[in-house]
Amino acid sequence: MSSIAVLGCMWGDEAKAKIVDFLGDQADVVIRFQGGSNAGHTIYLNESKYVFHSVPSGILYPQTMCVIGSGVVVDPASILEEISLLQAQGISFENRLFIDERAGVVLPLHRILDNRNEAGATKIGTTKRGIGPAYTDITARIGIRLIDLAYPEWLSQRLVNLYARHQVELAEQELANQLKDLEGFWQQLKPYVCQTDLLLYKLYHEGKNLLFEGAQGTLLDICYGTYPFVTSSHTMAGGISTGAGVPLRFTDKIIGVYKAYCTRVGDGPFPTELLCETGNRIRQQGNEYGSTTGRPRRVGWFDAVAAKYSARINGIDRMALTLLDVLSGIEKLKICTGYWHQGVRLEGFPTHHLLLEEVQVEYLELDGWDNDLGGIKTLSKLPKAAKEYLDAIQDCLEVPIELVSVGKERSQTIVIKN
Ligand code: IMP
């Protein structure tokens, strides 16, 4: 038995779902432990496209169970829509999807608050899905959790109190409408809701393989990310235990997913950002547009300083490097190997975003390659320059690369035996 975690290690959108899907046949259970409908995980399989926001992408394997842990915030309307879209694509959920009853509920109010925050001076470029405000309410102990939907009178009082606390008006008719909606959502979600910590405990002790699927990325972690330009959950490995209710020892191996270059959506520092034709070209070649919001992603060179920081705090055992094929045709490639500030080479990754915005970047320049990598199945068949690029990243991070993705399809994945 072996349980693994697949974590995004930069600012999200590292194509984690592709890696989860590739490893999915070894997993009996795939578990989401943080985030919510802000996530956008896309899988291409047999020329069909599947988009996931809250449902673990392991649902594509008919025998795999999928768990949404208590660390996730669930938007009932959005997850029900996602379930019905996937059902229309032939996916069955019966006895396969389990949602923790403690998961926080994202309400229409949270979207209102998210939009309000984004219209003001504290804007950070969120997905406007209400994620931050929903987590804030949970932390403030005024939030609504899924199990609250089973207690209508309590729920009604909680809603009234919540709106009052946020000084948002809630007319009587509106309260009645929301309670009616929530009652309808609860009837549909109830069959999936349970204590998933207990379920995972039993499955683990039955010898089942668990796969923890991270959402967003380490540099968006609420504490260790580029605060305040972060999401509101613990995206790093430490979030697995609290977000899924499992002991730390349940994770045997951590795979860190990195893109062959960097991207970021939303505001915040991005030392290797390419505000030039090369950046536009990578954006086009990599179709770098958000799967949740459609926003163009900011693009930059691979940042080994930031990458090494996230490898360290997650305890990455192996790397999966994705979208290598996107770099084909770019004559010279760069990898950031150091940050400088006021003539001093910095140790590690700065905490304050104002310092990160000011760093000068030291680059290692490497030759690119022209070949289309999409059909390559083994490391030895990669162009020499591509192998050198992988070696350089490995050397910087001091972590072996185990998987290289060279295309969207499950089959376009190179396995490197270490
Ligand atoms: P929020 O999670 O919607 O509150 O957004 C906070 C920050 O995280 C913003 O910069 C978003 O663009 C970013 N973010 C949230 N979810 C994702 C994701 O799935 N991929 C990449 N960035 C994300």
Side-chain angles (χ1 to χ4, degrees), residues 8 14 23 26 158 163 178 183-184 186 194 212 233 278 298 322 326 334 364 374 399 401 406 410:
E14 299 91 351
L23 298 169
Q26 300 161 34
R158 290 290 277 182
Y163 273 75
Q178 289 209 25
E183 166 61 16
W186 175 241
C194 64
F212 297 96
S233 61
T278 308
R298 298 158 67 192
T322 58
V326 170
K334 290 186 185 178
L364 172 71
V399 177
I401 298 177
V406 290
R410 197 182 274 173

Side-chain angles (χ1 to χ4, degrees), residues 12-84:
D13 306 316
E14 299 91 351
K16 295 172 285 293
K18 151 94 198 240
I19 301 302
V20 171
D21 179 62
F22 182 76
L23 298 169
D25 62 339
Q26 300 161 34
D28 300 301
V29 196
V30 178
I31 305 117
R32 278 278 307 270
F33 55 91
Q34 46 73 226
S37 62
N38 50 350
H41 296 168
T42 309
I43 293 181
Y44 297 85
L45 185 63
N46 302 329
E47 287 166 27
S48 295
K49 180 179 174 185
Y50 301 87
V51 180
F52 301 89
H53 296 288
S54 300
V55 173
S57 48
I59 205 86
L60 284 186
Y61 283 95
Q63 75 287 2
T64 305
M65 294 165 83
C66 287
V67 169
I68 297 178
S70 65
V72 174
V73 284
V74 174
D75 181 330
S78 141
I79 196 169
L80 285 166
E81 189 188 339
E82 188 179 339
I83 291 172
S84 67

Side-chain angles (χ1 to χ4, degrees), residues 11-13 38-40 124-128 131-132 216 220 230-231 265-267 295:
W11 285 287
D13 306 316
N38 50 350
I124 58 157
T126 73
T127 60
K128 299 187 184 166
I131 303 299
Q216 290 87 44
L220 291 173
V230 291
T231 191
V265 265
D267 305 344
R295 290 180 290 178

Side-chain angles (χ1 to χ4, degrees), residues 134-154:
Y135 276 116
T136 306
D137 281 352
I138 291 294
T139 311
R141 295 157 297 181
I142 54 171
I144 286 167
R145 308 201 295 176
L146 269 182
I147 193 65
D148 289 321
L149 307 192
Y151 298 87
E153 277 178 31
W154 161 256

